[in-house]
């Protein structure tokens, strides 16, 4: 059994970790932290978990208790893992961070986008970006994993087959993405209220969103050089889900893009390349650790449209984190995870 600790257990990604790990045969949650709910039993706060964690209560974060775990997930705001990861690694505990603290390789770029100095630049060289479809071998030997963001997961999985094959013009990429409101976390904010978000769709952060450098970093690796990406996130009137509509210019009109995508992801347990002409729906991935992708070339032109959907809380966060745990501990990568979404 892998002994698991979770820092930030009351947030949306924290409770999603608990839901997924409740069905995991080889992992056991031993410690779960919350400063505001310390002492409260997990099942009293989250009745969906009754019968799974009846003896587990939230406790305040404490390095000694967390350091007795094999692995600690950080499901916390940016900056928290910076402060604690080093001590845990020194205690021999692996760290899987769901926040953005270790996603960017460049500490100065991180500081620019996150508005605070990077708190642990010394750990950056060993941090592995936890996108299994790109980095599986590096994840196997890692101590510190940076779980990709939700928009970055959908966008990279949709565009890398075209860039790795050298087919897309790297300087002309567009990602139009919509997210469910749970992407903003559980904290109270006017912008997350039902009255502000239902029956409405809006773009935001068009000038620059903090996921732009993360996505660009991954696409540069796939392209083997600089990329030019326009990224426009939208807030959609739904609770879960990311829908990415991705545009790339592919001058070679003869290439079989369906075959390219199917081949790239043939051995990937959590990427589903749908039949040609498909329109993936976010509800098909609700609760599932999968990215469903469809590739289109409208009117046979140069502009290729890739559609990619994920559940932001699963393949976009907690499911991907569990997938990383499985790889890290040499387990079957699919343990505790499912392809099956919830429709309706
Ligand atoms: N929501 C999403 O779709 C996705 C989120 N992420 C990232 O995952 C992380 C968690 O997100 P989410 O679950 O939405 O966040 P929430 O705001 O819903 O939850 C945050 C959690 O962190 C705890 N926390 C807050 N501050 C501290 C602190 N200083 N020290 C220790 N614990 C703290 C909170 O509990 P308490 O205050 O009681 O301690 C709470 O349990 C974030 O970095 C987010 O950006 C990544 C991908 C997708
Ligand atoms: C709808 C919404 O607000 N989404 C968040 C991104 C989701 C998220 O949690 O981003 P990380 O994966 O980097 O943590 C935002 O735009 O900041």
């Amino acid at each position: 059994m892998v002994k698991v600790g979770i820092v930030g257990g009351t947030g949306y990604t924290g409770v999603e970790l608990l839901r997924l790990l409740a069905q995991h045969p080889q992992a056991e949650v031993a410690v779960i932290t919350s400063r505001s709910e310390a002492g409260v039993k997990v099942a009293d706060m989250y009745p969906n978990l009754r019968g799974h964690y009846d003896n587990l209560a939230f406790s305040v974060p404490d390095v000694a208790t967390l350091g007795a775990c094999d692995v600690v997930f950080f499901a916390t705001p940016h900056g928290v893992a910076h402060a604690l990861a080093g001590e845990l690694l020194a205690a021999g505990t692996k760290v899987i961070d769901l926040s953005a603290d270790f996603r960017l390789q460049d500490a100065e770029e991180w500081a620019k986008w996150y508005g605070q100095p990077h708190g642990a630049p010394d750990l950056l060289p060993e941090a592995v970006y936890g996108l299994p479809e790109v980095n599986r071998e590096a994840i196997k030997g890692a101590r510190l994993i940076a779980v990709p963001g939700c928009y970055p997961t959908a966008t990279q999985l949709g565009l890398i087959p075209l860039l790795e094959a050298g087919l897309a013009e790297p300087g002309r990429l567009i990602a139009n993405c919509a997210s469910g409101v749970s992407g903003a976390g559980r904290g109270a904010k006017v912008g997350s209220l039902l009255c502000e978000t239902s029956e409405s769709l809006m773009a935001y952060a068009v000038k620059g969103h903090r996921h732009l450098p993360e996505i660009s970093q991954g696409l540069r690796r796939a392209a083997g050089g600089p990329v030019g990406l326009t990224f426009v996130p939208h807030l959609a009137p739904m609770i879960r889900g990311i829908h990415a509509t991705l545009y790339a210019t592919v001058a070679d009109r003869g290439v079989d893009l369906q075959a390219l995508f199917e081949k790239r992801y043939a051995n990937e347990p959590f990427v589903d390349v749908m039949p040609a002409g498909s329109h993936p729906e976010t509800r098909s991935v609700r609760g599932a650790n999968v990215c469903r992708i469809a590739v289109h070339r409208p009117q046979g032109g140069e502009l290729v449209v890739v559609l990619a959907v994920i559940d932001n809380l699963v393949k976009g966060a907690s499911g991907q984190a569990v997938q990383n745990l499985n790889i890290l501990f040499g387990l079957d990568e699919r343990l505790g995870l499912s392809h099956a979404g919830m429709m309706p």
Side-chain angles (χ1 to χ4, degrees), residues 8 10-13 34-36 75-78 99 182-183 185-186 312-313 316:
T10 52
Y12 287 155
T13 58
S34 163
R35 298 158 313 156
S36 56
T76 45
H78 311 303
S99 83
S182 63
R186 186 163 174 266
N312 54 298
L313 293 177

Side-chain angles (χ1 to χ4, degrees), residues 13-65:
T13 58
V15 71
E16 191 67 4
L17 277 170
L18 285 171
R19 185 181 74 84
L20 295 167
L21 292 171
Q23 307 156 55
H24 197 297
Q26 298 285 332
E28 181 188 21
V29 180
V31 182
I32 182 135
T33 83
S34 163
R35 298 158 313 156
S36 56
E37 303 294 342
V40 174
K41 281 190 162 183
V42 167
D44 288 346
M45 180 158 178
Y46 286 115
N48 60 318
L49 298 170
R50 280 171 61 78
H52 289 286
Y53 296 104
D54 289 347
N55 295 318
L56 187 67
F58 296 105
S59 55
V60 290
D62 165 53
V63 174
T65 324

Side-chain angles (χ1 to χ4, degrees), residues 76-321:
T76 45
H78 311 303
V80 178
H82 282 168
L84 296 177
E87 282 182 82
L88 291 175
L89 293 174
T93 298
K94 291 180 187 270
V95 170
I96 301 180
D97 178 25
L98 282 74
S99 83
D101 281 8
F102 297 102
R103 292 183 196 155
L104 299 184
Q105 282 153 6
D106 183 332
E108 281 179 23
E109 191 169 32
W110 192 93
K112 186 179 116 196
W113 286 95
Y114 288 85
Q116 54 184 302
H118 197 289
D122 51 314
L123 294 178
L124 280 177
E126 72 161 299
V128 172
Y129 191 66
L131 192 61
E133 293 75 11
V134 173
N135 268 346
R136 186 169 283 108
E137 286 311 309
I139 293 167
K140 283 180 188 165
R143 296 198 307 160
L144 171 59
I145 304 279
V147 180
C150 45
Y151 290 121
T153 295
T155 304
Q156 289 177 80
L157 291 177
L159 287 174
I160 57 177
L162 297 173
L163 292 168
E164 285 175 351
L167 287 167
E169 271 187 49
R172 297 177 66 190
L173 303 167
I174 297 174
N176 253 335
C177 302
S179 171
V181 184
S182 63
R186 186 163 174 266
K189 299 169 205 82
V190 171
S192 300
L193 291 171
L194 182 70
C195 290
E196 306 286 326
T197 56
S198 62
E199 307 291 332
S200 184
L201 178 72
M202 65 171 281
Y204 65 101
V206 179
K207 263 171 77 177
H209 186 280
R210 63 191 174 81
H211 283 171
L212 179 64
E214 180 184 342
I215 301 170
S216 299
Q217 175 180 276
L219 297 185
R220 272 198 305 276
R221 180 165 29 192
V227 296
L229 172 72
T230 303
F231 167 53
V232 183
H234 296 71
L235 191 63
M238 57 188 181
I239 294 173
R240 288 174 182 241
I242 298 274
H243 185 291
T245 307
L246 311 167
Y247 302 86
T249 304
V250 176
D252 180 350
R253 295 179 196 217
V255 63
D256 183 344
L257 295 175
Q258 182 70 21
L260 176 86
F261 274 71
E262 285 177 4
K263 186 166 175 225
R264 174 61 179 82
Y265 292 126
N267 298 317
E268 289 302 338
F270 296 115
V271 180
D272 174 26
V273 179
M274 297 180 70
S278 298
H279 296 89
E281 299 171 76
T282 54
R283 62 181 183 152
S284 76
V285 296
R286 276 188 83 218
N289 189 59
V290 67
C291 178
R292 297 198 201 284
I293 297 183
V295 56
H296 295 250
R297 192 193 278 272
Q299 289 86 49
E302 287 192 340
L303 195 65
V304 168
V305 178
V306 182
L307 306 174
V309 297
I310 58 169
D311 182 328
N312 54 298
L313 293 177
V314 190
K315 184 61 176 161
S318 307
Q320 187 137 264

